[in-house]
Amino acid sequence: MESPGSSTLTHSFVRSLTGGDTKEVRRWNSVPAAKATSSANPQIIFSGIQPTGVPHLGNYLGALREWVRLQDTAPKDTRMFFSIVDLHALTVPQEARQLKTWRREGFATLLAVGLDPSRATVFHQSAVHAHTELFWILSTVASMGYLSRMTQWKSKLDLPEDISLEDSAARAKLRLGLFSYPVLQAADILVHRATHVPVGEDQRQHLEFSRYTANSFNHLYGNIFPAPEAIISPAKRVMSLKEPTLKMSKSHTDKRSRILLTDSSEDIHKKVKSALTDSDASVSYDPVHRPGVSNLLEILSHFDGRSCEDLAAEYKSSSLQSLKGHLGSQISLHLQPIRERYLSLIADKTNYLDVVAEEGARTASANADVTMRRVRETLGL
Ligand code: AQP
């Protein structure tokens, strides 16, 4: 078992995670050197994605692409667990047949983007029962006050951010599962003794809650859990193509607001072409006053590697239309092999996806059981 807080990554590994972002590197380097990576103390990476629709470009740039980058660059003894977190999807009502399809499509997408089951464990959350057992145990230490201040339950219910649990509208709409969602997320992470969790910026608050809950448990019962560190992708928040002040999301009612990893080149071009910008036909990078065109530049920079300012300077003398055309081509080019792999995995008749999922669940269960044995013993169960 890793000692709590032992979470330093090597310098070059971190640089590759952050695309050379020195601020992030400094943050990593500020962790005490005495606890640096060694084979006696390997890192464990965990992350998940909800099967609430086909993953989109925001999920890809904010999470999935980073997972693959970690898989390909992490030290050999780093263990990795990536999950289709299907129990989380139940925090809003789901139609059973639709959820079943999305679970399978989500799983195929994780393999299509490049996760390699011989290197990373890929599994469905509901197939590993230790997640829900630890959820219950952590809920006995989780702070209600902290949960009530979190934003996700409010945004999912279309309630204002400053609403409190005392409000009658909140009490009428709120269900326990949606409210306690961050506790299950903490259990997902802690049951695997994860030291690092690669996510998009929107998950930072949940990661802080996981660290807080791990500390609360450790304080009461002794050092069981490492405090997990967030690895925030350089693509912190990819915005909606139709409402560029909101993040791109699977559940937005307008399908043209997101580019799916399975979209054809024609669909990608159409969606980028119809992206909402403003009345100014020129190109400049100004996220506050020009969120639409700035979002397009940001997406392009995540594929191109150049800064948004450099790209804006290049497109200053040409048109917004040519920026959109180039962006559509770049996205199509990058997503085409993913789409092809995805289509062949979904069409496969050999039960390959089921076999990988079963094997993943076995490996993840074995790892989670190590934690649960220790937790049960500590609690006297
Ligand atoms: N727009 C985004 N930009 C950057 N990262 C994003 N992520 C999601 N949207 C963006 C990251 O993707 C990972 C998986 O997210 P999720 O599916 O578990 O949940 P979510 O954040 O709630 O994603 P959606 O698409 O908005 O789903 P719905 O509509 O169902 O709520 C996470 O690491 C997340 O940060």
Side-chain angles (χ1 to χ4, degrees), residues 50 52 56 58-59 156 200 202-203 238 247-251:
Q50 297 185 70
T52 42
H56 50 70
N59 297 132
K156 287 278 175 196
D202 59 318
Q203 294 295 327
V238 177
K247 71 164 190 157
M248 187 178 283
S249 157
K250 298 188 215 87
S251 50

Side-chain angles (χ1 to χ4, degrees), residues 47-53 56-64 67 85 152 156 181 198-203 235-240 247-252:
S47 198
I49 180 166
Q50 297 185 70
T52 42
H56 50 70
L57 200 59
N59 297 132
Y60 179 65
L61 294 173
L64 308 185
W67 299 0
V85 286
Q152 178 117 336
K156 287 278 175 196
Y181 168 117
V199 283
E201 170 77 25
D202 59 318
Q203 294 295 327
K236 291 186 167 65
R237 190 176 285 255
V238 177
M239 307 310 270
S240 157
K247 71 164 190 157
M248 187 178 283
S249 157
K250 298 188 215 87
S251 50
H252 194 284

Side-chain angles (χ1 to χ4, degrees), residues 102-224:
W102 279 339
R103 283 174 92 243
R104 188 163 190 273
E105 290 177 350
F107 201 93
T109 308
L110 297 195
L111 301 190
V113 296
L115 288 182
D116 172 1
S118 69
R119 175 72 181 97
T121 300
V122 188
F123 68 103
H124 288 114
Q125 175 195 33
S126 61
V128 179
H129 298 164
H131 285 242
T132 43
E133 185 184 354
L134 186 60
F135 159 71
W136 174 253
I137 289 169
L138 292 180
S139 74
T140 65
V141 301
S143 157
M144 282 286 286
Y146 198 147
L147 285 168
S148 68
R149 288 191 297 277
M150 298 187 84
T151 53
Q152 178 117 336
W153 63 270
K154 298 168 192 170
S155 64
K156 287 278 175 196
L157 296 176
D158 277 332
L159 293 169
E161 255 195 46
D162 58 358
I163 203 161
S164 87
L165 277 180
E166 303 308 314
D167 188 282
S168 58
R171 281 210 305 274
K173 285 180 160 184
L174 185 58
R175 298 287 173 267
L176 181 59
L178 181 60
F179 185 67
S180 59
Y181 168 117
V183 186
L184 180 56
Q185 191 169 354
D188 298 334
I189 294 165
L190 300 178
V191 83
H192 291 290
R193 307 177 300 287
T195 53
H196 296 89
V197 185
V199 283
E201 170 77 25
D202 59 318
Q203 294 295 327
R204 194 190 282 279
Q205 192 186 48
H206 290 153
L207 250 295
E208 278 307 313
F209 178 80
S210 297
R211 288 171 63 83
Y212 183 86
T213 306
N215 285 336
S216 304
F217 187 94
N218 289 346
H219 183 69
L220 277 173
Y221 297 111
N223 278 354
I224 300 286

Side-chain angles (χ1 to χ4, degrees), residues 59-372:
N59 297 132
Y60 179 65
L61 294 173
L64 308 185
R65 185 164 80 163
E66 294 306 298
W67 299 0
V68 175
R69 193 165 6 173
L70 282 162
Q71 170 191 265
D72 297 344
T73 57
K76 284 237 166 348
D77 60 359
T78 303
R79 297 191 69 196
M80 300 181 191
F81 298 88
F82 296 113
S83 184
I84 297 293
V85 286
D86 44 9
L87 296 173
H88 284 288
L90 299 177
T91 52
V92 293
Q94 300 288 344
E95 202 271 305
R97 197 189 307 215
Q98 177 65 83
L99 181 60
K100 198 171 178 172
T101 305
W102 279 339
R103 283 174 92 243
R104 188 163 190 273
E105 290 177 350
F107 201 93
T109 308
L110 297 195
L111 301 190
V113 296
L115 288 182
D116 172 1
S118 69
R119 175 72 181 97
T121 300
V122 188
F123 68 103
H124 288 114
Q125 175 195 33
S126 61
V128 179
H129 298 164
H131 285 242
T132 43
E133 185 184 354
L134 186 60
F135 159 71
W136 174 253
I137 289 169
L138 292 180
S139 74
T140 65
V141 301
S143 157
M144 282 286 286
Y146 198 147
L147 285 168
S148 68
R149 288 191 297 277
M150 298 187 84
T151 53
Q152 178 117 336
W153 63 270
K154 298 168 192 170
S155 64
K156 287 278 175 196
L157 296 176
D158 277 332
L159 293 169
E161 255 195 46
D162 58 358
I163 203 161
S164 87
L165 277 180
E166 303 308 314
D167 188 282
S168 58
R171 281 210 305 274
K173 285 180 160 184
L174 185 58
R175 298 287 173 267
L176 181 59
L178 181 60
F179 185 67
S180 59
Y181 168 117
V183 186
L184 180 56
Q185 191 169 354
D188 298 334
I189 294 165
L190 300 178
V191 83
H192 291 290
R193 307 177 300 287
T195 53
H196 296 89
V197 185
V199 283
E201 170 77 25
D202 59 318
Q203 294 295 327
R204 194 190 282 279
Q205 192 186 48
H206 290 153
L207 250 295
E208 278 307 313
F209 178 80
S210 297
R211 288 171 63 83
Y212 183 86
T213 306
N215 285 336
S216 304
F217 187 94
N218 289 346
H219 183 69
L220 277 173
Y221 297 111
N223 278 354
I224 300 286
F225 300 116
E229 298 262 359
I231 301 175
I232 306 292
S233 157
K236 291 186 167 65
R237 190 176 285 255
V238 177
M239 307 310 270
S240 157
L241 296 181
K242 284 298 177 188
E243 278 185 80
T245 51
L246 301 177
K247 71 164 190 157
M248 187 178 283
S249 157
K250 298 188 215 87
S251 50
H252 194 284
T253 46
D254 189 342
K255 290 189 170 147
R256 293 169 308 165
S257 69
R258 55 185 168 270
I259 289 170
L260 304 182
L261 298 191
T262 54
D263 275 342
S264 66
S265 174
E266 196 191 338
D267 286 340
I268 292 170
H269 276 282
K270 267 194 206 150
K271 286 180 183 177
V272 174
K273 211 168 160 192
S274 75
L276 186 80
T277 48
D278 48 41
S279 53
D280 184 346
S282 70
V283 175
S284 62
Y285 183 61
D286 180 351
V288 175
H289 300 106
R290 305 197 66 200
V293 65
S294 301
N295 186 36
L296 300 181
L297 286 166
E298 281 175 20
I299 295 172
L300 183 56
S301 82
H302 295 309
F303 288 110
D304 180 288
R306 279 181 291 165
S307 72
C308 295
E309 288 76 10
D310 285 355
L311 289 168
E314 182 183 326
Y315 279 90
K316 201 174 166 59
S317 51
S318 60
S319 67
L320 187 55
Q321 281 321 100
S322 68
L323 169 66
K324 285 182 167 181
H326 180 59
L327 177 60
S329 303
Q330 283 294 301
I331 299 173
S332 305
L333 199 69
H334 193 91
L335 296 190
Q336 193 189 348
I338 295 175
R339 179 169 181 265
E340 282 167 8
R341 280 196 295 274
Y342 171 85
L343 292 175
S344 95
L345 283 162
I346 282 290
D348 181 80
K349 298 274 184 257
T350 65
N351 284 347
Y352 174 70
L353 289 175
D354 296 334
V355 171
V356 174
E358 277 164 28
E359 181 56 32
R362 259 196 300 279
T363 308
S365 291
N367 185 54
D369 285 347
V370 172
T371 311
M372 291 315 296

